[in-house]
Amino acid sequence: MSPNPLKVNSKKEPPLYRQIADALLSGIRDGLFPVGTLLPGELELIERFKSSRHTVREALRVLEDMGIVKRQRGRGTLVISTEARPAFVQAVRDPRELFTYPENSAFRVLAEGSVGDDDHWPARIGDGVDENWARIAGLRTLHDGSPFCWTDIYVLPDYAAIAQQLGRTKRPVYEQIAETFGETVQRISVEICAGSLTGSRAKALQVDEGTPSLVLYRRYCGNGNRLFEVSVTEHPADSFSYSLEFNRGWQAAEHWSWSK
């Protein structure tokens, strides 16, 4: 029996999809799959690596993100390069690095209830939140009491008691939920959009009705990729800005460490 040229190295025991991607990348660089040719099909890779379809697809996604292959519907996975393409990336080691507020600011709870009680429940919150979720509303102010943003925090009903802890610490709500209820943050998504301040929000922030605003939606998923918190923070447009800095690096999830 001839040796399998795509043998998985299990010494370091990385995730299986990484092992598969590593083996395929070695095959590409060794000329087993030259540029312009197709990789073996998904079913063949599933059999060869004794893995699931999901795992094989994740390995191919990794190679596609690196710029090594291009997946084509109905045709297969085409090898387009032997080297990963450079990209510009932003490294975030801690979620708190996203949209941090001044150290001298504080959050003050103004209202508690359920989503069903909120006339301003934004449709943009999306799927996963229903009228039974708990809502905590409040203002973030500077040390002199000047308000600079309104925040609505929506959490699973079982986590409603977290409202009693807010204001006592400057730690983010998702951290307090993780510690108190045993959640593990698996994914955070952030959306920024334009809005305008009206009603009680405009009054609380001491601005005129219709003042342009910048709205941040943060969605936190935890154990089992379950959504457990959504926060909606609204700032008068002239009181908040956010800058991004990207450094040249290799497009990589968990940083590629592969070589020939």
Side-chain angles (χ1 to χ4, degrees):
M1 181 181 293
S2 59
N4 185 349
L6 295 179
K7 201 168 185 180
V8 168
N9 179 2
S10 60
K11 288 182 180 179
K12 294 184 180 180
E13 297 186 351
L16 183 56
Y17 78 92
R18 288 283 300 269
Q19 296 183 54
I20 296 173
D22 194 359
L24 290 171
L25 182 58
S26 294
I28 291 169
R29 288 177 169 171
D30 290 341
L32 183 62
F33 309 116
V35 172
T37 64
L38 297 174
L39 290 180
E42 285 186 3
L43 294 179
E44 183 177 342
L45 292 175
I46 290 170
E47 175 63 26
R48 188 173 298 192
F49 293 107
K50 308 301 181 188
S51 66
S52 68
R53 184 183 297 271
H54 172 78
T55 300
V56 164
R57 287 182 174 176
E58 185 65 11
L60 295 176
R61 183 195 63 77
V62 164
L63 294 179
E64 187 171 41
D65 285 349
M66 292 175 69
I68 299 292
V69 303
K70 181 178 181 181
R71 288 182 288 179
Q72 302 174 322
R73 184 181 297 274
R75 185 183 176 195
T77 304
L78 179 69
V79 179
I80 60 175
S81 177
T82 59
E83 299 297 331
R85 63 170 179 254
F88 289 90
V89 299
Q90 181 189 37
V92 178
R93 307 299 179 190
D94 187 315
R96 281 177 292 187
E97 295 177 21
L98 293 169
F99 311 109
T100 55
Y101 291 117
E103 283 293 325
N104 61 357
S105 68
F107 180 73
R108 179 161 54 98
V109 175
L110 297 180
E112 296 177 48
S114 66
V115 168
D117 300 329
D118 183 13
D119 294 334
H120 299 277
W121 184 29
R124 196 182 289 266
I125 285 179
D127 296 335
V129 178
D130 61 37
E131 62 182 12
N132 297 312
W133 277 48
R135 171 186 175 249
I136 307 159
L139 276 178
R140 184 168 290 278
T141 60
L142 296 175
H143 67 286
D144 62 359
S146 302
F148 66 90
C149 72
W150 177 284
T151 298
D152 286 305
I153 300 168
Y154 304 93
V155 298
L156 287 170
D158 292 343
Y159 299 163
I162 204 67
Q164 306 307 312
Q165 299 182 29
L166 301 186
R168 300 177 186 175
T169 174
K170 294 182 179 179
R171 296 175 61 197
V173 176
Y174 70 85
E175 280 192 1
Q176 297 180 54
I177 290 176
E179 182 179 286
T180 305
F181 300 103
E183 275 287 1
T184 301
V185 180
Q186 300 290 345
R187 181 166 57 88
I188 302 173
S189 62
V190 181
E191 181 181 2
I192 307 173
C193 66
S196 62
L197 286 158
T198 59
S200 59
R201 287 164 172 73
K203 184 176 180 180
L205 289 168
Q206 302 172 12
V207 297
D208 295 333
E209 286 269 345
T211 294
S213 64
L214 192 66
V215 190
L216 275 67
Y217 292 83
R218 300 181 183 91
R219 298 168 61 86
Y220 299 86
C221 295
N223 303 330
N225 204 34
R226 178 184 64 164
L227 182 68
F228 70 86
E229 178 193 340
V230 177
S231 69
V232 184
T233 306
E234 191 164 12
H235 312 74
D238 60 359
S239 72
F240 184 85
S241 65
Y242 181 63
S243 61
L244 294 169
E245 179 177 315
F246 294 87
N247 297 303
R248 190 175 176 86
W250 293 103
Q251 184 159 325
E254 304 173 357
H255 303 291
W256 308 127
S257 58
W258 295 308
S259 60
K260 276 191 177 183

